Amino acid sequence: MGFLLTFEGIEGSGKTTQAQRLFEFLQGEGFPCVLTREPGGTPFGEALRVLLLRPETGSLDPLTEALLFAAARREHVLRVLVPALDAGKVVLCVRFTDSTLAYQGWGRGVDFAFLRLLNERASGGLTPHCTVLLDVEPETGLSRSLASHDPREVRFELEFAQEIRLLERIREGYLELARQEPERFLVIPVKRSEEEVFQEIVERVLPRIRQWKEGKV
Ligand code: TMP
């Protein structure tokens, strides 16, 4: 069994940049790694990603949204995550089941018991060994994200710009998830340089990966 490491956090927290850096670092250390993301990671998932994130889609019923993220996840788990984990790799995944709880649960108000069951079915019960939660202030994250994102993928950002409270609830939801599972979550504040954040991620994640390598996880 490989090691599943997920990156979570609201928009503009630097997940993609930090996951990419850690991926390169771990490869340099000789770990066989895979870097992937949700929604996405398969051709079907990437196609759903376009539909879910493009502004033209407009607002969706919260349940419709949850089901579409779950559909993309199921294909991703079966075709990418499970094969890579079975091959003993370190899998770095930007966003996973916690995103559904944070966004569709705390954000959109979908029932948590239903979302937990949906996550369980879509992921086949796969739980990350470790989750890096990058924590940023909603206003800061949102403006960073709007400045850097492909304008074809900003459906969520445009909505948060109208209602920042929504993003605040999602951030609180993430922090609550971290409180519920302190063993799995590493909460890393990002109010520092990219380099300092990266160093903290390496310092805190590497011992976990080494433990796994030694068969202690
Ligand atoms: P990003 O990959 O650029 O972060 O965009 C993905 C967006 O999709 C982001 O706003 C979070 C949202 N999302 C959910 O609402 N639920 C989910 O389960 C996932 C994976 C993402």
Side-chain angles (χ1 to χ4, degrees), residues 24-182:
E24 286 162 17
F25 174 85
L26 292 174
Q27 277 192 319
E29 294 287 302
F31 291 103
C33 295
V34 170
L35 176 62
T36 185
R37 68 172 177 183
E38 290 200 358
T42 66
F44 173 73
E46 291 293 329
L48 276 187
R49 178 183 178 88
V50 172
L51 289 174
L52 281 161
L53 304 190
R54 65 177 191 183
E56 295 87 332
T57 294
S59 77
L60 286 176
D61 171 73
L63 193 54
T64 305
E65 202 177 80
L67 293 170
L68 289 174
F69 281 114
R73 177 161 307 131
R74 177 94 184 130
E75 290 303 305
H76 188 222
V77 166
L78 294 178
R79 293 175 201 280
V80 178
L81 301 188
V82 167
L85 292 168
D86 283 349
K89 296 188 178 165
V90 178
V91 179
L92 290 84
C93 185
V94 179
R95 296 194 180 282
F96 193 51
T97 42
D98 297 308
S99 282
T100 300
L101 296 173
Y103 284 77
Q104 280 66 54
W106 272 279
R108 306 264 192 234
V110 178
D111 171 59
F112 284 104
F114 172 75
L115 289 178
R116 287 194 185 275
L117 182 63
L118 187 65
N119 274 343
E120 160 81 26
R121 294 291 156 88
S123 69
L126 196 60
T127 307
H129 293 93
C130 178
T131 297
V132 172
L133 173 56
L134 295 175
D135 184 50
V136 67
E137 298 279 332
E139 297 274 3
T140 314
L142 184 58
S143 51
R144 270 209 234 166
S145 185
L146 278 166
S148 66
H149 245 79
D150 182 336
R152 288 168 301 184
E153 284 198 352
V154 291
R155 185 173 74 91
F156 279 84
E157 281 86 347
L158 294 179
E159 195 180 341
F160 299 144
Q162 296 286 318
E163 199 193 342
I164 195 74
R165 185 70 201 107
L166 187 53
L167 199 55
E168 285 165 2
R169 282 209 307 270
I170 294 165
R171 180 200 192 190
E172 282 309 313
Y174 269 132
L175 292 171
E176 176 57 28
L177 286 172
R179 281 190 288 271
Q180 289 170 8
E181 286 185 74

